[in-house]
């Protein structure tokens, strides 16, 4: 019965420790042969023989993770190892758990990074360090934003007003009222010179504007569609309508103006066709850039009717040719049979 009560007591302590999120070691609970001892409101470490091998000087000791336990002394935090040695002196206002070999620390209102030996791989000088994603975190200093690697190297200096979330390792940056693009290595792939940059579309292109002109950027930051047009539409079936100096044409996703800006107006493509206007007369072009109905018609509707009639005539010709071919084949067969 005594052993049962002892087991229940240990179980209760263990449950209590878990109930506190596992953040503080509890006396009587051993982890890899190590537990804590409490004296006069302070904590130290003991082994299974109850030998105290860490001074009883800490306000709290957290459970060990990968051989290190966070300790608190005089309101500051550090780390001790399983030998009871302070590998990180308790000088920080806060410390996060180690992830990928680094921990974020705070001291006197500023943040930095340390490695498992306690070395400051990034100086405690930043206003903010975000969590790392793909080995990269955002940093702020004096109201400006940059990027830092998990090794503590500043990938991008704190010169931006804001950095957006990375998508496909590319993020939009905002600097002094203008937008640009950087990759997650900190390379500036598009200078912050644009009034607007939209998200990349399914073609891998991002709408951009500057000085009242419009175009599209590629993932490499190139103006694949030069920012020179007065108007530009979204891409539909790989084609966008553009306007320059009051004239309309079309570009493809390769940046080619395959129908030059020579028309007074143009509809969007539908079923591979668009109605265009030149000198007040209307015609039809196809998505390969060919003129299928010349601009000879007074209205758009007339141009469309002309195309429909042309299609009907072509279909009838095709039927006649097929019939003639069939008849010719029958005649040949008959002649051959007669022979």
């Amino acid at each position: 019965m005594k052993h049962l009560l002892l087991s229940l007591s240990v179980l209760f302590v263990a449950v209590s420790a878990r109930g506190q999120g596992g953040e503080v070691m509890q006396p009587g609970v051993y982890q890899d042969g190590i537990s804590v001892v409490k004296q006069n409101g302070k904590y130290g470490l003991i082994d299974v023989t109850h030998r105290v091998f860490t001074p009883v000087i800490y306000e709290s000791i957290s459970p060990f993770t990968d051989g290190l336990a966070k300790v608190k002394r005089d309101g500051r935090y550090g780390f001790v190892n399983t030998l009871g040695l302070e590998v990180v002196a308790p000088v920080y206002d806060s410390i996060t758990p180690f992830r990928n070999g680094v921990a974020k620390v705070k001291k006197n209102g500023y943040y930095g990074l340390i490695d498992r030996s306690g070395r400051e791989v990034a100086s405690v000088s930043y206003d903010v360090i975000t969590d790392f994603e793909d080995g990269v975190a955002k940093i702020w200093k004096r109201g400006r934003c940059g990027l830092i690697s998990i090794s503590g190297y500043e990938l991008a200096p704190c010169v931006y007003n804001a950095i957006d979330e990375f998508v496909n390792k590319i993020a939009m940056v905002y600097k002094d009222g203008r937008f640009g693009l950087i990759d997650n290595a900190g390379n500036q792939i598009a200078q912050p010179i644009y009034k607007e940059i939209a998200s990349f579309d399914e073609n891998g292109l991002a709408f951009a504007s500057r000085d009242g002109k419009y175009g599209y950027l590629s993932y490499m930051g190139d103006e694949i569609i030069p920012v020179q047009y007065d108007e530009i539409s979204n891409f539909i079936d790989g084609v966008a309508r553009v306007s320059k100096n009051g004239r309309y044409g079309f570009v493809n996703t390769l940046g080619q103006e395959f129908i030059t800006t020579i028309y007074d107006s143009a509809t969007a493509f539908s079923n591979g066709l668009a109605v265009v206007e030149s000198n007040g007369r209307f015609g039809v072009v196809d998505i390969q850039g060919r003129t299928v109905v010349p601009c000879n018609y007074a209205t758009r509707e007339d141009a469309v009717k002309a195309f429909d009639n042309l299609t009907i005539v072509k279909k009838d010709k095709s039927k006649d040719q097929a019939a003639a071919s069939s008849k010719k084949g029958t005649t040949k067969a008959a002649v051959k049979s007669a022979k």
Side-chain angles (χ1 to χ4, degrees):
M1 185 65 176
K2 183 178 179 180
H3 294 297
L4 177 59
L5 289 174
L6 179 59
S7 300
L8 288 174
S9 176
V10 172
L11 177 61
F12 174 76
V13 172
V15 170
S16 297
R18 285 199 296 269
Q20 296 177 36
E23 295 179 354
V24 179
M25 290 185 70
Q26 299 293 319
V29 178
Y30 282 84
Q31 182 183 8
D32 297 328
I34 299 173
S35 186
V36 296
V37 60
K38 184 177 182 181
Q39 295 175 3
N40 301 320
K42 301 289 185 180
Y43 294 86
L45 293 176
I46 60 173
D47 60 20
V48 291
T49 68
H50 288 230
R51 180 180 64 89
V52 177
F53 63 93
T54 295
V56 186
I57 58 175
Y58 299 105
E59 286 130 52
S60 66
I61 301 178
S62 298
F64 282 89
T65 302
D66 296 329
L68 295 177
K70 183 166 68 173
V71 294
K72 181 180 181 182
R73 177 159 55 90
D74 299 328
R76 300 286 180 114
Y77 294 91
F79 282 97
V80 296
N81 62 18
T82 54
L83 298 176
L85 301 176
E86 283 186 357
V87 292
V88 178
V91 296
Y92 298 105
D93 301 326
S94 68
I95 298 180
T96 66
F98 279 97
R99 291 177 182 170
N100 298 313
V102 298
K104 182 166 59 177
V105 296
K106 182 180 181 182
K107 185 178 180 181
N108 300 327
Y110 294 98
Y111 292 88
L113 299 172
I114 62 171
D115 63 18
R116 291 176 60 83
S117 70
R119 182 175 65 93
E120 290 186 359
V121 296
S123 63
V124 185
S125 61
Y126 298 100
D127 300 323
V128 176
I129 301 178
T130 67
D131 293 334
F132 282 90
E133 293 184 15
D134 296 326
V136 178
K138 297 173 189 176
I139 49 177
W140 271 265
K141 187 182 289 186
R142 293 183 290 277
R144 294 279 177 158
C145 186
L147 298 176
I148 196 169
S149 72
I150 204 160
S151 63
Y153 177 71
E154 271 197 16
L155 299 170
C158 294
V159 297
Y160 301 105
N161 298 105
I163 299 177
D164 205 352
E165 297 303 314
F166 282 93
V167 178
N168 295 325
K169 298 185 177 181
I170 294 177
M172 187 160 43
V173 294
Y174 182 67
K175 182 182 179 183
D176 301 329
R178 294 285 173 171
F179 293 93
L181 297 172
I182 62 171
D183 62 22
N184 68 347
N187 300 309
Q188 190 167 261
I189 61 175
Q191 297 286 330
I193 58 175
Y194 298 96
K195 181 180 179 182
E196 180 184 4
I197 299 178
S199 300
F200 283 92
D201 62 19
E202 65 274 10
N203 302 298
L205 301 177
F207 170 85
S209 68
R210 182 182 72 245
D211 302 328
K213 302 295 182 181
Y214 305 95
Y216 278 88
L217 304 179
S218 71
Y219 277 125
M220 300 301 294
D222 301 319
E223 290 187 5
I224 193 73
I225 312 295
V227 182
Q228 65 178 8
Y229 295 102
D230 302 319
E231 296 177 33
I232 190 165
S233 70
N234 294 328
F235 280 93
I236 300 175
D237 295 331
V239 173
R241 182 180 59 191
V242 293
S243 171
K244 185 165 57 176
N245 300 323
R247 300 282 181 168
Y248 289 83
F250 293 89
V251 295
N252 58 27
T253 55
L254 299 177
Q256 299 165 334
E257 195 176 281
F258 70 99
I259 296 178
T260 56
T261 50
I262 59 174
Y263 294 105
D264 300 329
S265 70
T267 66
F269 273 95
S270 177
N271 297 319
L273 299 170
V275 179
V276 293
E277 178 188 5
S278 179
N279 297 319
R281 310 293 284 180
F282 295 89
V284 177
V285 295
D286 67 16
I287 205 162
Q288 280 76 44
R290 299 172 299 200
T291 299
V292 293
V293 174
C295 292
N296 294 331
Y297 296 90
T299 67
R300 289 186 177 87
E301 289 75 13
D302 289 341
V304 171
K305 287 178 181 178
F307 173 78
D308 290 340
N309 291 335
L310 180 64
T311 303
I312 291 171
V313 169
K314 284 184 176 180
K315 284 182 178 179
D316 289 343
K317 283 185 177 179
S318 296
K319 288 180 180 178
D320 292 342
Q321 289 172 353
S325 177
S326 176
K327 186 175 181 180
K328 187 175 182 181
T330 302
T331 303
K332 284 184 177 180
V335 171
K336 187 176 180 179
S337 177
K339 289 181 178 180

